[in-house]
Amino acid sequence: MINIKNLSKSYNKGAVKAVDNLNLQVKPGEIFGFLGPNGAGKTTTIKMVIGLLSADEGSITVNGFDTRKQSLEAKQSIGYVPDNPDVYERLTGLEYLNFMGDVYRVPAEVRKERIQYFTEMFDLNHAVSDLIKSYSHGMRQKIVLTGALIHDPALWVLDEPLVGLDPKSAHQLKELMRAHCDKGNSVFFSTHVLEVAEKLCDRIGIIHRGKLVAIGTLEELRKGDQVDTLESIFLELTEK
């Protein structure tokens, strides 16, 4: 679903190496957790995957599409939720969702069903006609999630998707992620909540100072030590 080869990105005229020769794959049917300390390169990587940033070196394919040569096809395969839910505040929730439906060319009847499904699930149906500027942070997160998933993309790219969500909505999102991958799709998401990653992810990658320092299932990361938690593994790898 995602194939990243020799990916690098620098800032400040090469002085800061945000991502350094990154190689990883996200397979169909798996939830892949992308972990790292603040400033490790997670969001930079995610923005290159979705096409918001261009790489200095390397290549990315999404659902078989090269993100440079076939950018529109790749983006059509992706549902992206950023780490900060910035949306058009002067639109109502429904106007925003219809805008997203137009962007992804979702037929009217299909989008109506999906909007109803997600707004009821996330308890937004009472507020969907209100201006987004009146929404709380959690409500904005829910409307952004709904907009990102409205076209039923094969790949979900979620940057800290649980931040701001109430426990019920967080639980529902985790169930959605699992059901999505059970159908042969993929989820690539970052989180600082290691307990969630430990319970939810099929495989995990840990990035530190732009380099991938570990990748595998939790059992593979433990290297036979069943007592190790993901937190202890993470701290050991990122403190070296």
Side-chain angles (χ1 to χ4, degrees), residues 26-182:
V26 178
K27 304 171 186 176
E30 76 174 354
I31 300 175
F32 188 96
F34 195 47
L35 313 181
N38 291 334
K42 299 187 302 298
T43 295
T44 296
T45 301
I46 285 172
K47 286 184 176 179
M48 286 190 283
V49 168
I50 64 166
L52 279 179
L53 285 176
S54 58
D56 296 337
E57 298 175 13
S59 65
I60 306 170
T61 57
V62 171
N63 203 21
F65 299 111
D66 187 299
T67 56
R68 284 185 174 176
K69 299 175 183 177
Q70 301 161 293
S71 61
L72 287 179
E73 292 89 344
K75 289 172 183 175
Q76 186 71 33
S77 303
I78 298 171
Y80 169 57
V81 176
D83 57 344
N84 192 16
D86 291 328
V87 280
Y88 302 108
E89 292 189 337
R90 295 190 178 276
L91 295 179
T92 67
L94 187 58
E95 287 171 338
Y96 171 75
L97 295 178
N98 275 308
F99 166 72
M100 294 298 290
D102 288 340
V103 168
Y104 288 106
R105 300 176 182 175
V106 182
E109 284 303 311
V110 175
R111 84 172 64 169
K112 183 178 179 182
E113 291 178 5
R114 290 179 183 164
I115 288 172
Q116 182 177 356
Y117 173 76
F118 284 115
T119 54
E120 287 182 357
M121 173 180 292
F122 290 136
D123 195 25
L124 275 177
N125 46 343
H126 67 288
V128 75
S129 297
D130 298 339
L131 290 174
I132 292 175
K133 69 178 182 180
S134 69
Y135 285 13
S136 67
H137 178 90
M139 292 168 69
R140 293 182 186 214
Q141 186 76 348
K142 294 175 186 179
I143 207 75
V144 168
L145 277 164
T146 302
L149 307 183
I150 197 170
H151 61 299
D152 194 24
L155 172 66
W156 296 1
V157 180
L158 313 177
D159 197 353
E160 297 286 352
L162 302 175
V163 173
L165 293 183
D166 57 82
K168 179 182 177 183
S169 296
H171 174 73
Q172 288 168 326
L173 177 58
K174 288 182 280 187
E175 288 196 328
L176 278 175
M177 292 163 69
R178 184 75 272 162
H180 184 66
C181 291
D182 286 345

Side-chain angles (χ1 to χ4, degrees), residues 169-207:
S169 296
H171 174 73
Q172 288 168 326
L173 177 58
K174 288 182 280 187
E175 288 196 328
L176 278 175
M177 292 163 69
R178 184 75 272 162
H180 184 66
C181 291
D182 286 345
K183 294 187 291 185
N185 301 303
S186 301
V187 174
F188 180 62
F189 85 109
S190 72
T191 181
H192 286 301
V193 186
L194 299 182
E195 293 86 353
V196 169
E198 188 167 5
K199 292 177 181 178
L200 191 61
C201 295
D202 299 303
R203 286 196 307 140
I204 291 164
I206 300 176
I207 188 172

